[in-house]
Amino acid sequence: MRIRIATDPGALACAGADLVAAVLRERPDAVLGLPTGDTPIGLYDELQRRVEAGAVDLSRAVGWAIDEFSGVPRAAPGTNSVFYRAHVRLPLRALQIPNPAARDPAAHIAAFADALRRAGGFDLCILGIGMNGHIAFNEPGSARDSRARVVTLAAGSRAAHAADFGGVERVPARALTLGIADLLGARRLLVLASGRAKAAIVRVAVVGPVKAEVPASWLQQHDDCTWLLDQEAAAELQGRSLSGDAG
Ligand code: GLP
């Protein structure tokens, strides 16, 4: 696992965009996992700037969502579909997003993961980390071999999305997510975290024991995983011997 520390969120966005650009140079038709959340927005904006400047070509790449809420219409405020429309205005060949209104959610997310495997699997999957250590919507208790499925959201995860949905009572109780095994199947992983509030969970995930109670700790078992942190998110790792500096 590589840890890279950026001086601030802007440097983090640039370092993340550098990694995406490197993957695209190797493989212009890359299959990319694209998370929602506040953390990756700067990276998406930076990629858009580079596309407009002609420095990055996404026209053959395909983006895949890694999770979505369940039991709400696609256009309901707060869904990942709405997030992508607002924040991922990238000229990808396609962007695949699970349908939060699927009539059979379990069959739908299983078929979504099958389609991802048929597309060759992720060349690069970008991830964020939830305050309780979740990755995508794999909440604490998620096993190493868990696959795409319907999950019940933790109370804290619902609370974190209350503003997006217009009140915590409107946040769906359930979500669709790729599983830990699906995420670890990516050829490369890039995990983004910023802000002091993430420092404790980043430390537990990066240097703590690997266990289902901290889903992000499973990432220690991947052989090409880069954590890209700003200084605040890395605050509780400082002093340990870490490699690299993203500027
Ligand atoms: C949501 C998403 C995760 C994301 C997490 C962190 O719960 N399902 O994929 O990593 O939020 O979001 P933020 O970057 O806003 O802290």
Side-chain angles (χ1 to χ4, degrees):
M1 220 162 47
R2 278 179 298 276
I3 312 284
R4 303 187 61 198
I5 300 173
T7 45
D8 55 48
L12 185 139
C14 284
D18 287 346
L19 202 148
V20 175
V23 167
L24 288 167
R25 274 195 298 275
E26 272 170 36
R27 192 178 260 269
D29 58 351
V31 176
L32 304 171
L34 303 177
T36 60
D38 291 337
T39 319
I41 290 175
L43 165 56
Y44 296 143
D45 290 347
E46 177 60 23
L47 278 175
Q48 193 181 347
R49 270 192 290 277
R50 293 187 191 195
V51 167
E52 283 162 10
V56 164
D57 179 7
L58 284 164
S59 62
R60 293 175 57 197
V62 178
W64 291 71
I66 56 175
D67 56 19
E68 177 54 293
F69 293 90
S70 182
V72 278
R74 263 195 203 276
T79 63
N80 289 357
S81 292
V82 166
F83 172 93
Y84 288 111
R85 204 173 314 129
H87 298 294
V88 186
R89 296 173 301 271
L90 299 170
L92 294 153
R93 183 158 71 81
L95 176 57
Q96 311 290 355
I97 310 169
N99 180 3
R103 269 208 264 149
D104 182 343
H108 176 72
I109 193 63
F112 182 84
D114 278 347
L116 170 62
R117 275 191 289 278
R118 282 198 305 277
F122 289 131
D123 294 297
L124 170 69
C125 183
I126 304 170
L127 297 170
I129 179 170
M131 290 296 293
N132 62 0
H134 71 225
I135 46 175
F137 267 137
N138 291 279
E139 298 281 25
S142 296
R144 165 72 179 77
D145 61 358
S146 58
R147 288 286 176 185
R149 66 201 186 286
V150 182
V151 293
T152 298
L153 293 174
S157 302
R158 293 184 70 210
H161 290 277
D164 299 333
F165 280 90
V168 72
E169 68 289 346
R170 293 196 183 160
V171 182
R174 313 225 294 164
L176 313 172
T177 188
L178 294 180
I180 299 290
D182 301 307
L183 301 176
L184 290 181
R187 284 176 275 288
R188 296 178 86 157
L189 290 168
L190 172 64
V191 195
L192 306 175
S194 65
R196 188 66 180 85
K198 293 280 174 72
I201 191 62
V202 165
R203 176 180 46 76
V204 169
V206 170
V207 299
V210 176
K211 54 182 182 181
E213 288 68 31
V214 183
S217 68
W218 292 122
L219 301 173
Q220 294 180 33
Q221 297 185 344
H222 194 278
D223 60 12
D224 192 345
C225 177
T226 300
W227 284 76
L228 183 49
L229 310 169
D230 70 1
Q231 280 179 334
E232 292 193 351
E236 298 198 16
L237 294 172
Q238 307 291 13
R240 293 174 185 273
S241 74
L242 300 170
S243 65
D245 186 341

